[in-house]
Amino acid sequence: MRYRTRHFAIAAVAVAALAAIGSVMNAQPPGPGGPGRPGRGMRGGPGGPGGPAAYSAPTIPKTEAEKKILPVLDDMNRNQRAGMMNVPEADGQLLRLLVESLGAKTVVEIGMSNGYSGLWMALGLRSTGGKLITHEIDEGRAKLARENFKRAGVEDIVIDPGASGPGALPQAATQLRRLAIKKNVRALGYPLLAWCGADTLEDEVARATAAIAKYAGIVVVDRLDPALLYPLVTWRQNLYTDPQKPIQVEPRLYEIGGPDADSPLLITTNFSLTYFTVSGEVEGSGVPAWLLVADADGQSVLTGWAAGKFDAEKVAKTVKDAGVDGRLNHTKLVIPGHVATLSGEIEEELPGWQILVGPREAADLPSYLKNVWAAQ
């Protein structure tokens, strides 16, 4: 709600400024049409096209954006104006001037038609770094506008389904995606933009969750609240994760709590749940430590051991590849208690190393580090 209010507030300021500038322009001395006949002004009149008109001179392309957009605008002005209710060229130039002079970051257009006004405002937004939000209910005009935007090099387009409720948004987004994929309506193949702001946190979560689940490429929320953002990010990651491929972390040596050369060295697998559980308990213990994560294809300790992905050879190779020798003043390695039977084999693979068996459960790590390790 608050986002939309800001957008329409910017649009209202632009309309007010346009009216003010228009009144000044219309107050200029009349053209050859004579004092009793209105000059062309902004929209032209009996004064005739030959009369002087402010901002009516053709714009000479200077920037790369102008070189792409202005020829398309000229073609639209010559060949697409009939039935499109486009503003005159002078008004288009004025719209660009307004966008630039206001430093507008968000411009809302109701009634995109074939995109003529939108492209003029897009020229101004190129210099302000802003964005254009434009709406069109006629499918034919909307399709033509997207083609014109593409011809003009304005291809960073997103589609606003025009719905925000947790029921209406998925329905609209699903219809758009079906049209784009099954009916091959290429003009509807752009990313979907979902406005999910709401009066309450609960409503905002419901809207954003529905948007993420049903094809929204960009989700806009009002609140930068961890209680809102963290669940949405987790939902996004889990939703598009292959259930047959375990969620993994990068296998490498991690520093927890600023360890030094005398800090303990522990090893575990790269299954994400195992890593976050172990690292969280180590961090919570207040004992700085090195956590070595072995590549077990994303499997947990017991599963990796049973599958031969976390055996003595893999542990020894992980220790050697990590280059821990130059970081530690000791050669002690703490292995998970569930694979205590590997201790002898690991000592054979790592001559000179002392293999310590840690607790079976991660929850017991704080006590182990504070008591058992400290006594070593």
Side-chain angles (χ1 to χ4, degrees), residues 294-305:
D295 185 359
D297 289 344
Q299 297 178 359
S300 65
V301 171
L302 276 177
T303 305
W305 171 72

Side-chain angles (χ1 to χ4, degrees), residues 19-40:
I21 296 178
S23 64
V24 172
M25 291 174 63
N26 287 329
Q28 300 295 326
R37 300 161 61 191
R40 184 175 180 220

Side-chain angles (χ1 to χ4, degrees), residues 73-212:
L73 284 169
D74 182 64
D75 175 68
M76 294 169 66
N77 199 27
R78 295 173 183 272
N79 302 311
Q80 295 184 13
R81 181 167 290 277
M84 291 296 169
M85 301 180 67
N86 293 153
V87 300
E89 182 178 357
D91 288 19
Q93 294 172 346
L94 182 58
L95 286 171
R96 175 188 180 179
L97 176 63
L98 278 171
V99 170
E100 292 177 337
S101 61
L102 291 171
K105 295 298 183 181
T106 301
V107 175
V108 179
E109 179 186 35
I110 307 299
M112 175 171 55
S113 187
N114 62 341
Y116 186 78
S117 299
L119 282 176
W120 277 112
M121 291 186 285
L123 273 173
L125 291 167
R126 290 291 190 185
S127 62
T128 67
K131 61 180 179 292
L132 171 67
I133 302 171
T134 181
H135 301 261
E136 176 56 58
I137 61 173
D138 184 86
E139 183 178 341
R141 290 180 178 178
K143 180 180 179 180
L144 182 59
R146 294 188 188 100
E147 293 172 354
N148 288 329
F149 284 142
K150 186 173 183 179
R151 284 198 299 148
V154 183
E155 297 189 66
D156 44 348
I157 299 173
V158 296
I159 299 175
D160 181 358
S164 60
L169 177 58
Q171 182 178 8
T174 300
Q175 290 173 347
L176 288 170
R177 280 296 167 259
R178 284 178 177 170
L179 287 171
I181 296 172
K182 293 189 174 182
K183 301 298 183 180
N184 198 30
V185 182
R186 298 180 63 86
L188 299 178
Y190 293 99
L192 299 182
L193 171 69
W195 299 98
C196 300
D199 293 333
T200 66
L201 177 64
E202 291 75 14
D203 287 344
E204 196 161 346
V205 169
R207 293 183 180 189
T209 301
I212 293 172

Side-chain angles (χ1 to χ4, degrees), residues 127-335:
S127 62
T128 67
K131 61 180 179 292
L132 171 67
I133 302 171
T134 181
H135 301 261
E136 176 56 58
I137 61 173
D138 184 86
E139 183 178 341
R141 290 180 178 178
K143 180 180 179 180
L144 182 59
R146 294 188 188 100
E147 293 172 354
N148 288 329
F149 284 142
K150 186 173 183 179
R151 284 198 299 148
V154 183
E155 297 189 66
D156 44 348
I157 299 173
V158 296
I159 299 175
D160 181 358
S164 60
L169 177 58
Q171 182 178 8
T174 300
Q175 290 173 347
L176 288 170
R177 280 296 167 259
R178 284 178 177 170
L179 287 171
I181 296 172
K182 293 189 174 182
K183 301 298 183 180
N184 198 30
V185 182
R186 298 180 63 86
L188 299 178
Y190 293 99
L192 299 182
L193 171 69
W195 299 98
C196 300
D199 293 333
T200 66
L201 177 64
E202 291 75 14
D203 287 344
E204 196 161 346
V205 169
R207 293 183 180 189
T209 301
I212 293 172
K214 288 298 181 181
Y215 319 123
I218 302 173
V219 176
V220 182
V221 295
D222 283 355
R223 297 168 175 82
L224 293 178
D225 187 340
L228 167 67
L229 300 180
Y230 291 164
L232 292 181
V233 172
T234 303
W235 171 231
R236 167 64 179 81
Q237 291 177 330
N238 290 340
L239 184 64
Y240 296 100
T241 298
D242 184 352
Q244 296 182 343
K245 183 178 180 181
I247 304 175
Q248 308 176 24
V249 297
E250 181 185 357
R252 64 180 179 87
L253 183 64
Y254 290 84
E255 300 179 14
I256 301 177
D260 57 26
D262 296 315
S263 298
L265 173 66
L266 301 88
I267 190 168
T268 189
T269 66
N270 66 329
F271 179 45
S272 62
L273 183 58
T274 298
Y275 166 78
F276 286 113
T277 302
V278 172
S279 62
E281 293 293 344
V282 173
E283 184 176 7
S285 73
V287 178
W290 303 91
L291 180 58
L292 187 55
V293 175
D295 185 359
D297 289 344
Q299 297 178 359
S300 65
V301 171
L302 276 177
T303 305
W305 171 72
K309 302 291 185 180
F310 189 64
D311 54 17
E313 185 178 348
K314 173 57 69 71
V315 170
K317 184 178 185 303
T318 303
V319 171
K320 293 173 182 177
D321 292 345
V324 296
D325 292 340
R327 300 193 183 196
L328 301 176
N329 290 333
H330 63 84
T331 52
K332 298 176 183 178
L333 175 66
V334 180
I335 64 172

